[in-house]
Amino acid sequence: MLQVNYIRENREKVLERLNVRNFKQVELVDEIIAVDEERRSTQSSLDNLQAEANSAAKQIGELMRNGKKEEAEAIKANTAAHKEKIKAQNEQLTALEEKQQSLIVQLPNLPYHLVKTGSTADDNEVVYTHGEPSALPENALPHWELAAKYDIIDFELGVKITGAGFPVYKGKGARLQRALINFFLDHATAAGYKEMQVPHLVNAASGFGTGQLPDKEGQMYHVGVDDLYLIPTAEVPVTNLYRDVILKEEDLPIKNTGYTPCFRREAGSYGAHVRGLNRLHQFDKVEVVQITHPDKSYETLEDMSKYVQSLLQELGLHYRVLRLCGGDMGFTSAMTYDMEVWSAAQQRWLEVSSVSNFETYQSNRLKLRFKGKEGKTQLAHTLNGSALALPRIVASILENCQTEKGIKIPEALVKYTGFDMID
């Protein structure tokens, strides 16, 4: 969430950066400024009324102590009108604060200066490419056919139990999933991240804190009776560990990781590109989250990007790194790198990770602050990244590592799987 003071003092810059996002509701900016002016005027008027009431109360006390009861009663009679005015002003101030809040949460984060103007994925920048496409046999199959051939993932059984987008992993397919989770967690620990086990359901305050609510409410599974939400990513509970917390500067950076299942409705998703593991309603993911000093957050973003790339390199996958354009970034992000692996059988790129810097957008909602060495309290910067999401990694391993004899497991995973071939 943007800070209203910044919007008021930097109107032109705010409009310019929103244009980078191709954000159309720019009239919100002036509406927020107008409501804020009215709110500040009301607050000033209320402060004056309360000062007058306090002065009158003090005067009444002095008159009573001096035995001037009649004069005190006369002033007391006049304060009744003050109380009514104060009540009305308080109600008006509350209404204006609620209106300002409802408007400001509709504004996305402002893109960092390196983010280019654009409206779709076609406008994203390719900043790095690693490796070459795998040389596959002539009869190479997409992963959903490989899954059926080797009986490792059953999509129809998932439909029977729950519905489309909830696959059942079987035998070596289930063991490959577990191996990848342990592989990712072990590497995160070695990189200095503290492992956390967190709830898989969160309350609305947590969803608001990281920006899923109200923006992505329709994409989240809601448990109506208890008013809880199934998490779309571990980012939500892991970041919310620090909601309403004031840290010490020397505590930064904070580095946490967590494995969770993730649940996404993916409303409106259809077509060939959502076949098999390409897009699911339930999937597993290891997430890395950092809370940093504002001066260090973009250095941290680069480090997190390189860390995720190191995982892809160990798995021997051909990948590329994109810097997302303004129009393709998430609502809360100031800058995002996407990592995409090449699907040799599908002949297309598959996103397997997003690493984002939210600057103060989440911390302002979370009231996540730190006290500097000079004693000043300020908002921290938050970052997160998929390290990694499993479905498309599994799809890529199955497709890119297929041979005439079976699917060869990447060497880095063999000690986790206990086997080197799916056949």
Side-chain angles (χ1 to χ4, degrees), residues 16-46:
E16 182 266 324
R17 297 319 293 167
L18 288 175
N19 183 60
V20 171
R21 273 190 175 273
N22 199 32
F23 184 74
K24 301 299 185 184
Q25 296 173 272
V26 292
E27 69 280 356
L28 279 172
V29 173
D30 285 333
E31 191 173 356
I32 289 166
I33 292 171
V35 171
D36 184 55
E37 287 177 355
E38 187 177 357
R39 180 195 63 79
R40 288 190 297 148
S41 175
T42 303
Q43 181 69 69
S44 177
S45 176
L46 178 60

Side-chain angles (χ1 to χ4, degrees), residues 145-156:
E145 293 186 27
L146 291 166
K149 178 179 179 179
Y150 297 107
D151 193 28
I152 54 175
I153 307 172
D154 196 321
F155 296 100
E156 294 305 315

Side-chain angles (χ1 to χ4, degrees), residues 43-305:
Q43 181 69 69
S44 177
S45 176
L46 178 60
D47 290 344
N48 290 334
L49 284 170
Q50 288 176 328
E52 291 174 12
N54 291 339
S55 177
K58 185 178 179 181
Q59 190 177 1
I60 290 168
E62 290 177 353
L63 289 170
M64 292 295 286
R65 282 192 296 272
N66 294 327
K68 299 180 180 180
K69 187 176 179 181
E70 289 185 7
E71 293 180 42
E73 291 296 333
I75 295 173
K76 191 182 292 185
N78 291 331
T79 60
H82 266 82
K83 289 180 181 179
E84 288 301 316
K85 288 180 182 178
I86 288 172
K87 180 183 177 183
Q89 293 275 283
N90 266 317
E91 291 174 352
Q92 184 180 355
L93 183 62
T94 298
L96 288 168
E97 288 171 343
E98 290 175 352
K99 183 177 182 181
Q100 180 175 285
Q101 179 80 348
S102 70
L103 292 171
I104 205 166
V105 296
Q106 297 178 52
L107 286 182
N109 204 352
L110 302 181
Y112 188 55
H113 70 87
L114 292 179
V115 176
K116 290 192 173 181
T117 303
S119 55
T120 69
D122 294 334
D123 300 315
N124 294 335
E125 298 177 83
V126 178
V127 296
Y128 179 71
T129 302
H130 176 85
E132 298 292 336
S134 300
L136 298 185
E138 288 185 9
N139 59 343
L141 300 174
H143 69 270
W144 52 86
E145 293 186 27
L146 291 166
K149 178 179 179 179
Y150 297 107
D151 193 28
I152 54 175
I153 307 172
D154 196 321
F155 296 100
E156 294 305 315
L157 195 54
V159 171
K160 171 186 173 181
I161 296 168
T162 308
F166 296 89
V168 173
Y169 298 86
K170 305 164 66 176
K172 287 186 175 180
R175 289 168 66 186
L176 177 59
Q177 284 276 112
R178 178 159 51 89
L180 282 164
I181 292 165
N182 288 332
F183 172 75
F184 295 146
L185 285 174
D186 283 354
H187 279 67
T189 300
Y193 290 90
K194 180 188 290 186
E195 184 176 347
M196 300 286 188
Q197 284 196 351
V198 290
H200 300 163
L201 292 103
V202 294
N203 54 33
S206 294
F208 176 81
T210 44
Q212 279 69 32
L213 299 175
D215 179 51
K216 296 182 178 66
E217 188 164 9
Q219 293 292 346
M220 296 173 73
Y221 286 100
H222 184 224
V223 183
V225 174
D226 301 297
D227 194 23
L228 296 173
Y229 295 85
L230 287 167
I231 59 171
T233 165
E235 168 201 345
V236 181
V238 172
T239 310
N240 270 278
L241 294 171
Y242 302 92
R243 175 156 43 95
D244 297 318
V245 169
I246 299 178
L247 301 165
K248 297 176 182 177
E249 184 173 345
E250 53 266 33
D251 295 332
L252 304 177
I254 288 174
K255 301 171 67 174
N256 289 330
T257 186
Y259 152 69
T260 65
C262 304
F263 304 89
R264 300 183 185 181
R265 294 186 62 241
E266 298 289 4
S269 297
Y270 58 91
H273 287 180
V274 302
R275 288 196 67 178
L277 299 172
N278 288 348
R279 187 160 294 173
L280 301 176
H281 296 303
Q282 178 182 326
F283 60 93
D284 293 318
K285 182 154 67 85
V286 172
E287 195 82 357
V288 289
V289 173
Q290 289 208 40
I291 299 168
T292 71
H293 191 288
D295 294 345
K296 300 288 182 65
S297 67
Y298 280 95
E299 176 185 332
T300 300
L301 180 65
E302 298 300 323
D303 289 343
M304 292 176 73
S305 170

